[in-house]
Each structure stands twice: as C-alpha cells, then as structure tokens.
Amino acid sequence: MANTIAWIHADNLNPNQHCLKQDIPAIFVWDEELLSQWNISFKRINFIYECLLKLDVTIRKGDVALENRKFASEHNETHISTPYRPSPHDQWILQQ
C-alpha cells in the first residue's frame, strides 16, 4: 500500500494482523487524554508496552491525531491503515 502508515491501537496488538504484515511504517501512540481520563491499571499499561516491544512499531505519547499526522509526514505518507475498532473516539481521531 503506497503512501500509507499503519496506526496500531491497544485493542489489536496481534503481531499477525494485516496492518503489520504490510511493508509500511507503523506507529502506536499512548493517548495522553485517554490515559488521564480512564482508570487504566499499571498492570494493563505494562502488558500493552510488553506487547508493543514485540512489534515493529514506533511508540509515541501525546495527541493521537497529531502524532499520526507527524509520523505520516516524516515518512512522506498520506494515508492511514488501522485494524477495525468501532470506538467513536478512534473514528473521531481518523477524521482529524
């Protein structure tokens, strides 16, 4: 998929997922807003981090939409591929 990055989120950290099988740069962004609003345990955060270490992804923290745009720009890409997630919050991020 030319001109595409993969946005990986915590609901799909499967190393065999379609987005990671493509030869495209991938990013995971720790959502600062979500982390501050939700009561996510340290155990869950650590589990996600350990899963990410097994994947070929760039890990960032901050505003998800902004970090995805910056990452795409750094790689001269214009599209984002992501595993399906029906979260309204993620749908809003994709529209940014």
Side-chain angles (χ1 to χ4, degrees), residues 79-96:
H79 296 85
I80 296 175
S81 176
T82 189
Y84 176 73
R85 182 175 172 198
S87 162
H89 180 69
D90 288 351
Q91 297 303 319
W92 177 83
I93 289 169
L94 285 170
Q95 293 173 1
Q96 301 303 307

Side-chain angles (χ1 to χ4, degrees), residues 27-86:
I27 183 171
F28 175 92
V29 182
W30 289 104
D31 187 334
E32 286 185 323
E33 180 181 348
L34 187 105
L35 288 172
S36 70
Q37 293 176 359
W38 291 19
N39 188 20
I40 302 172
S41 71
F42 177 75
K43 189 174 184 177
R44 174 74 176 151
I45 291 170
N46 191 57
F47 170 76
I48 293 169
Y49 182 69
E50 287 179 353
C51 290
L52 289 169
L53 292 178
K54 297 175 184 174
L55 305 177
D56 185 17
V57 303
T58 297
I59 302 169
R60 296 193 179 168
K61 181 180 176 186
D63 177 281
V64 178
L66 176 63
E67 292 299 328
N68 278 328
R69 282 195 305 270
K70 285 176 22 182
F71 186 73
S73 178
E74 291 165 9
H75 291 276
N76 297 316
E77 310 296 359
T78 56
H79 296 85
I80 296 175
S81 176
T82 189
Y84 176 73
R85 182 175 172 198

